[in-house]
Every structure is written in structure tokens, then in C-alpha cells.
Amino acid sequence: MDEFERERRMMVDGQIRTADVTNRRLQSALLSVPREIFLPRAKHAQAYADAEVEFAPGRWMMRPRDFAKLVHAADVQPSDLVLDLACGRGYSSAILSRMGETVVAMESDGEMVSKAEDALSKAGADNVAVIEGDLKTGSQSQGPFDVIFVNGAVEEVPRAWLDQLADGGRLAVVVRKGPIGKATIFIRSGLGVGERVVFDCTPHVLPGFEREAGFVF
């Protein structure tokens, strides 16, 4: 067992299982996917820390506990089509690829798309398609989706994401309107969408997803 494998097991035992993440398929995915290969080489030593890790200016890999709890709450099934928004270098997509049937991973930056494709290939995640596009509009042509997962917080949820959920589909996202974010699951039922808050956390807000300032009189 190499050092990273040892740290990965410590992460699952010390940060994930203790946070009531009981899904065995998710635990197995977290144990099998090498988190470090989805970070710049200079950040490999931080891969399994109990903290967010900045992998590009203004972009952060979610804290392992928060990420795992949000995936757990999304209840990804083996037959699900998943949209992974703001996938970064692809770590979330690799985990989700072991949970669902097919993952569409989306990034707004072409260079990031290339890095994600390379890392996902190394991880053997051959059921992931990485695409470039506007994160706020999602990927209507690929949907509707059983699960939409968002890597980071937003201050407002774009309507386009909710519109791309299949009936019974779940949107897993952290809504952050103040110092504390609310990890929230939005669930489509027919023409309506319900929501439930599952836990508090404080991931960084994704660039461009800050609420627009209103007029002050």
C-alpha cells in the first residue's frame, strides 16, 4: 500500500464514514479513485486533507466530507444519467461514474476540459463524456438528467438546471446566500420542484454564480 492509498483509506475512515455516509458503493468509489491525480502536481500532498483545495485560480475541489455527503444525498442509482457541472479536473465525474450509468461532465474552460479528459482516462472512467459549455445553461441536448451535481456553491440556482431534471430527478447543490451554505436537494415531481436542505457547509461560490447586486435607492 503506497502513501496515497493509505491516506485515501484514512480519508474514508476518518472523514466520510464518521459523517454518516453509509452508501457502500460510494465508499468503494472513494476508496478506488486516486484523488491526487485530479489536482496539479504541486497540490498532491493536499489531496486527502479535510479542507477545500484550490486547483485553479478561483476554483476549488470540495472538502471530502462535504462532497461525499452531497453525493450520498443525491441518491445516484446504477441506471442514472448524471450531469456533473463545474467538474474541474474530473474527480467528481470519476466518483459519479462508479455510481451511475453515464456521466456528462461540463466545464466552461477548454483547457480544464482537456485536463479532465486526461485524468479521467487514467482513472478508467470510460462512461464519462466531458463537454465545454456555459455552466449556467447546463446541457439541454443531453438531458433530461436523473441527477445534476454541482461542484461548489451558488447564490442562486439557475432555472435551466431545474428544467433539465427528469421526473424524479435530483439537483444536488450548495446554496450559499451568507456565511453558511445549505446543501440542498431539489427534486422534480411532474411539473413541480420540491427541495430539502440536508446539511450546512461553506464551499466557495463558483465564479460567475454570485447574485447580481440590486439597485439601492
Side-chain angles (χ1 to χ4, degrees):
M1 182 183 297
D2 66 22
E3 185 61 32
F4 284 127
E5 186 177 355
R6 186 177 298 107
E7 290 184 11
R8 190 154 57 248
R9 183 163 293 281
M10 290 174 61
M11 176 192 75
V12 172
D13 289 342
Q15 300 178 48
I16 308 305
R17 291 194 173 106
T18 56
D20 296 323
V21 177
T22 56
N23 186 304
R24 295 294 182 87
R25 292 191 304 120
L26 176 53
Q27 290 179 7
S28 177
L30 292 164
L31 284 169
S32 65
V33 174
R35 188 173 161 97
E36 69 277 4
I37 71 172
F38 297 93
L39 287 169
R41 186 173 297 277
K43 298 294 182 75
H44 281 193
Q46 302 175 43
Y48 300 100
D50 183 19
E52 291 181 275
V53 182
E54 190 173 24
F55 59 84
R59 294 294 305 276
W60 300 75
M61 182 183 279
M62 290 179 70
R63 179 186 177 197
R65 167 198 174 274
D66 296 344
F67 170 75
K69 284 177 71 69
L70 192 57
V71 175
H72 185 264
D75 191 28
V76 184
Q77 299 299 307
S79 61
D80 281 351
L81 172 62
V82 182
L83 175 62
D84 186 25
L85 289 169
C87 69
R89 288 175 170 240
Y91 175 71
S92 54
S93 305
I95 297 297
L96 293 165
S97 76
R98 286 159 167 78
M99 304 293 293
E101 182 174 9
T102 304
V103 177
V104 177
M106 192 170 193
E107 258 303 336
S108 58
D109 178 76
E111 183 178 354
M112 197 76 71
V113 168
S114 178
K115 291 181 184 300
E117 288 176 334
D118 289 346
L120 286 162
S121 177
K122 292 176 182 176
D126 56 6
N127 59 336
V128 179
V130 189
I131 62 173
E132 182 179 353
D134 182 354
L135 300 177
K136 288 185 178 180
T137 61
S139 182
Q140 184 175 2
S141 63
Q142 303 281 349
F145 298 96
D146 301 297
V147 174
I148 299 177
F149 186 89
V150 184
N151 287 276
V154 301
E155 293 190 2
E156 290 186 312
V157 175
R159 182 70 210 183
W161 296 354
L162 301 174
D163 290 343
Q164 289 169 37
L165 289 173
D167 192 22
R170 289 85 65 203
L171 165 63
V173 60
V174 178
V175 180
R176 186 168 180 177
K177 299 179 180 180
I180 304 297
K182 304 292 183 181
T184 306
I185 304 296
F186 295 84
I187 305 173
R188 173 166 291 285
S189 178
L191 298 177
V193 178
E195 63 182 88
R196 60 185 175 91
V197 174
V198 287
F199 63 95
D200 293 346
C201 56
T202 56
H204 284 76
V205 174
L206 288 166
F209 284 88
E210 303 85 358
R211 179 181 294 178
E212 293 183 10
F215 290 105
V216 178
F217 296 96

